[in-house]
Every structure is written in C-alpha cells, then in structure tokens.
C-alpha cells in the first residue's frame, strides 16, 4: 500500500522532541485563514476534529488529520511533512516556541499509486 504521508528526517526529529515534552500528539491541516495552510501540531485531543475530517495516516505514530474540504481538493496528493526555522502562522502549534514551523510539500500520485493507496479514516 502507498502511504499518503511521509516526513523528512528533520520533521521526525522534531516530532520526537515534542513527544518527549508533551506526550501523545496529533496534526491537523486546515484550510482556513486563521490556521493558514500549515499543519498544526497539538497534544492528542487538543484539537477537536469536525464531522467528515480525514486522517490520512501517521508519522511516528502521530495521526495526521486533514480538513474534510481540503482533503477533497488534495486527495490525489502525497504529503511530505517538513520543518523549517521560522515562526508559523498563528503560533498555536507546539513547535512555535522552538522557532520552528512544520510545512507540507506535496506531489500528485501517479495513476499506478492511485490504485494502491492506504485507506483513510473519517470522523462520522
């Protein structure tokens, strides 16, 4: 099965630092103006998903959730979670005090990959 999300080594290192400090985590990728278009990292349960929101997979056992409308737009894309040295939009994400920002790079799945994608989980 083809994963819908992967992470760079730097992103994995930062996730592990945040897990040590905060415990279980979750990511949420929204499409609204307040959250921007960058993934936000929260303590697990620190953000309440809406009906229809989609979990596209995990990174280091951390669920990565996407807004339901954004998923419909990006459902044919593979996400790669990266991190840069910068202050992100809004400052709500757990990496902000470390002067880091998670970002998503994406590419379109090939027709062959589309036939073998990992299933997603939706909030009912």
């Amino acid at each position: 099965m083809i994963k819908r999300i992967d992470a760079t080594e730097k992103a994995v290192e930062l996730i592990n630092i945040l897990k040590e400090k905060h415990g279980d985590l979750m990511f949420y990728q929204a499409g609204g103006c307040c959250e921007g278009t960058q993934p936000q990292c929260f303590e697990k349960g620190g953000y309440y998903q809406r009906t229809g929101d989609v979990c596209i997979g995990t990174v280091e056992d951390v669920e990565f959730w996407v807004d339901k409308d954004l998923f419909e737009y990006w459902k044919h894309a593979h996400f790669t979670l990266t991190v840069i040295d910068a202050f992100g939009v809004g400052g709500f994400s757990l990496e902000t005090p470390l002067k880091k920002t998670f970002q998503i790079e994406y590419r379109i799945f090939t027709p062959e990959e589309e036939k073998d994608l990992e299933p997603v989980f939706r909030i009912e």
Side-chain angles (χ1 to χ4, degrees), residues 40-114:
Q40 301 288 304
C41 183
F42 300 102
E43 291 178 0
K44 189 169 185 169
Y47 184 89
Y48 297 104
Q49 303 94 321
R50 299 173 306 152
T51 299
D53 284 348
V54 180
C55 180
I56 63 168
T58 61
V59 175
E60 294 296 295
D61 297 319
V62 176
E63 293 176 343
F64 194 99
W65 290 88
V66 177
D67 169 85
K68 62 183 177 180
D69 297 325
L70 190 62
F71 177 74
E72 286 305 312
Y73 185 73
W74 281 2
K75 66 184 173 186
H76 301 289
H78 177 271
F79 287 40
T80 301
L81 186 65
T82 65
V83 65
I84 61 170
D85 294 326
F87 182 76
V89 176
F92 301 117
S93 195
L94 292 175
E95 78 280 4
T96 301
L98 301 175
K99 299 181 181 171
K100 305 283 185 189
T101 298
F102 285 109
Q103 288 187 324
I104 288 294
E105 295 176 355
Y106 69 94
R107 66 170 178 80
I108 303 302
F109 289 116
T110 66
E112 294 77 28
E113 289 173 321
E114 286 269 357

Side-chain angles (χ1 to χ4, degrees), residues 16-45:
N16 288 322
I17 290 168
L18 294 173
K19 284 168 76 173
E20 284 180 28
K21 184 172 183 176
H22 299 282
D24 291 339
L25 304 174
M26 65 179 289
F27 281 97
Y28 190 80
Q29 175 82 43
C33 64
C34 295
E35 302 90 354
T37 56
Q38 293 172 270
Q40 301 288 304
C41 183
F42 300 102
E43 291 178 0
K44 189 169 185 169

